[in-house]
Amino acid sequence: MGIVAEVLRKFHGGVHPREYKNLTENCAIEALPLPKRLIVPLHQHMGRPCEPCVSPGAHVLKGSVIGIAQGFISAQVHAPTSGTIRTIDEYPVAHPSGLTMLCAELEPDGKDQWVDGLTGLPNPLEADPKDIRRKILEAGIVGMGGATFPSHVKMSPPGDKKVELLVINGVECEPYLTCDARLMEERSRDLVEGFKIMLRGLETNQCVIGIEANKPAAIRAMQAAVANESSLSVKVLPVMYPQGSEKQLIEVLTGRQVPSGGLPVDVGVVVHNVATSLAIRDAVKFGRPLIARVVTVSGLGITNPRNLEVLLGTPVDDLIAHCGGLKPNHKKIISGGPMMGVTLNTTRVPVVKGTSGILALTAEEVSEKRESPCIRCGRCVQACPMRLTPTEMAWGTRNALWDKMGEYNLSDCIECGSCSFVCPAHIPLVHYFRFAKMTLQAKDREKKKNDLTKIRSKAKQERIELEKAEKERKKAEMKAKMAAKKSAAPDAAAGSGTANEGSPSPAEAATRPQGKGPGKPGVKPPGKKKSDPASET
């Protein structure tokens, strides 16, 4: 089938972490009741944050835009339900830094009333691809597998790039997560509609759905759904982490390797997550923005693990409470999967577009062994799917050798955690790499800021020099004119005898009225006429 390889390839490295999917794989998706309070971050995607377009006290309807995208790499944020905006302020969010983020606090009114005017395209499968991309842009859809890259950007490949294949990522290789698997089981027909809409938007006709072999029910459901679709097929993949990373998935399915620093479209492929496909279908067919998602709540530290459909902005506290609360022996709470997720310092943080799971882990599931010195075993190098050298990258980070990071290709690290998983010295390698990336980003921002300051300073100095030169030029021009004027005066005097410039000619003097005008030699100025003494009496 086109560029899909007949024989599946194996990517370099990878690991086999212990699975806990059995905790929720048979739990059907259930809707979480409407929460009493929503905290909606205005930055839920990779790219520039949104600007709020509502104020405290404003009443909004479900689907109303409350955050306007800023630039091409950005995605709008919508109200998850109808209610009143209470505050626009900083709130804690799930982020490794632990910093706060600008959020809109929404108090639902309980009516859950949609905003007027949300309509889809009448016939999505025959629509103009530009209209499909516009609907995706308006809906604020981002990659829901965790990367949160704006989907309208992926659906708009550069003009010089041709998309030959759409890959649907149904791998879900994180050990606990089952939200995508449940979507494939329960909404396979809707997903197929989404795949066909995306094919129309990308103007291509090949789509393959990659699913790991540990999801037999999802495989059966999707194979049945695509049975009569000539452009769609399902590939069953061997279980290997991190096969859900798009670069590894592309290599397994096509044998093509995305170049360092490149994008999947560079090898003719675009990858979308299963949940993203469903959001695109709802946006294009019904005009609905992305305001909810399915989240796996699992781990041995949670009382009743479940798969929940929740509104964006719902506090994690509400999810945990709906699942019966935390067990006393829980040690750590993670947003996402255990391999790539973020440890939460508080459960007051909200669910966002990229939240695929909330895990409560016990001591049995969490490694609490202390970090020890590297023994140079090289296991991290063998496990790295990107063929990097994690031990050298960590050494460079410890010693602040930032100039060396380019040689180590740090930017190619996908932060999958395979190196940390196999490290016998229990070195949290991924933490080092995240710190190094943030440091380099900060340095890059500082450098750009300094470069901009230098450019502005240079431009100012050049402007001052130009103004000074212009003043000197005008001054020299004036002096030249004065000198020319002075030199011209004696010549004029010599040409006209004793007459001065401006003196009346004899004829003019004869016709000028006597007694008026300035005094001239030989002309008596008019005196005041003496009054007649007789008239005074």
Side-chain angles (χ1 to χ4, degrees), residues 276-459:
T276 312
S277 308
L278 193 60
I280 288 175
R281 175 254 187 190
D282 291 345
V284 177
K285 189 172 182 179
F286 303 110
R288 296 174 187 162
L290 177 56
I291 56 170
R293 68 156 298 142
V294 178
V295 180
T296 298
V297 185
S298 187
L300 298 180
I302 199 83
T303 303
N304 297 310
R306 290 174 173 170
N307 284 303
L308 301 176
E309 185 171 16
V310 301
L311 297 178
L312 303 179
T314 302
V316 169
D317 277 333
D318 289 22
L319 276 68
I320 293 174
H322 187 76
C323 294
L326 298 170
K327 292 181 180 177
N329 61 340
H330 80 276
K331 288 288 183 183
K332 182 188 287 188
I333 299 177
I334 292 176
S335 175
M339 300 297 286
M340 298 185 69
V342 177
T343 301
L344 299 181
N345 297 318
T346 172
T347 52
R348 292 185 293 116
V349 300
V351 170
V352 295
K353 296 177 182 179
T355 305
S356 52
I358 298 296
L359 308 181
L361 307 181
T362 63
E364 177 187 338
E365 303 161 278
V366 178
S367 173
E368 295 184 309
K369 295 178 180 177
R370 300 190 62 179
E371 176 183 350
S372 57
C374 175
I375 59 174
R376 312 291 290 179
C377 64
R379 292 186 187 178
C380 57
V381 178
Q382 296 172 3
C384 179
M386 297 303 295
R387 302 175 188 271
L388 304 177
T389 53
T391 181
E392 290 189 356
M393 290 157 56
W395 180 78
T397 304
R398 277 187 166 189
N399 294 281
L401 302 177
W402 309 123
D403 293 339
K404 287 278 187 181
M405 291 303 166
E407 299 176 15
Y408 299 148
N409 294 316
L410 174 69
S411 60
D412 284 343
C413 174
I414 58 174
E415 303 177 21
C416 65
S418 297
C419 52
S420 302
F421 180 78
V422 299
C423 179
H426 309 292
I427 301 173
L429 293 161
V430 173
H431 291 67
Y432 281 102
F433 306 151
R434 287 175 178 165
F435 173 77
K437 285 183 178 180
M438 286 190 288
T439 302
L440 290 174
Q441 288 172 358
K443 287 180 173 293
D444 184 58
R445 286 195 296 270
E446 188 66 23
K447 182 179 180 301
K448 287 179 179 176
K449 184 179 177 182
N450 291 336
D451 289 345
L452 184 61
T453 302
K454 287 179 182 177
I455 291 171
R456 287 174 174 169
S457 178
K458 184 179 178 182

Side-chain angles (χ1 to χ4, degrees), residues 120-303:
L121 300 178
N123 191 349
L125 299 183
E126 295 180 2
D128 188 324
K130 291 181 180 176
D131 291 335
I132 292 175
R133 292 192 283 269
R134 177 176 53 80
K135 282 292 183 184
I136 296 171
L137 170 67
E138 292 173 351
I141 298 173
V142 303
M144 297 171 71
T148 67
F149 193 79
S151 299
H152 69 273
V153 180
K154 274 191 176 183
M155 294 293 293
S156 307
D160 60 338
K161 307 287 185 184
K162 178 172 175 55
V163 178
E164 300 176 69
L165 177 67
L166 168 64
V167 171
I168 301 301
N169 188 348
V171 172
E172 200 171 41
C173 57
E174 281 276 8
Y176 288 79
L177 305 184
T178 58
C179 52
D180 287 351
R182 291 305 309 184
L183 279 177
M184 288 187 283
E185 288 181 50
E186 299 180 31
R187 300 192 63 180
S188 57
R189 297 290 177 186
D190 294 340
L191 285 171
V192 168
E193 279 188 312
F195 305 156
K196 293 163 73 173
I197 289 171
M198 285 192 287
L199 284 177
R200 179 73 181 174
L202 290 168
E203 300 181 75
T204 189
N205 57 7
Q206 291 186 68
C207 173
V208 61
I209 304 105
I211 310 174
E212 283 192 339
N214 58 356
K215 304 173 187 64
I219 292 169
R220 287 194 298 272
M222 291 311 304
Q223 285 177 333
V226 305
N228 298 318
E229 304 290 343
S230 59
S231 58
L232 308 179
S233 66
V234 175
K235 280 284 184 182
V236 180
L237 311 177
V239 179
M240 173 68 79
Y241 181 87
Q243 199 157 219
S245 171
E246 62 181 11
K247 292 183 179 179
Q248 279 63 46
L249 184 55
I250 290 170
E251 184 174 353
V252 170
L253 288 171
T254 68
R256 299 182 181 184
Q257 291 186 344
V258 179
S260 176
L263 297 171
V265 74
D266 292 330
V267 294
V269 181
V270 168
V271 182
H272 281 284
N273 171 266
V274 168
T276 312
S277 308
L278 193 60
I280 288 175
R281 175 254 187 190
D282 291 345
V284 177
K285 189 172 182 179
F286 303 110
R288 296 174 187 162
L290 177 56
I291 56 170
R293 68 156 298 142
V294 178
V295 180
T296 298
V297 185
S298 187
L300 298 180
I302 199 83
T303 303

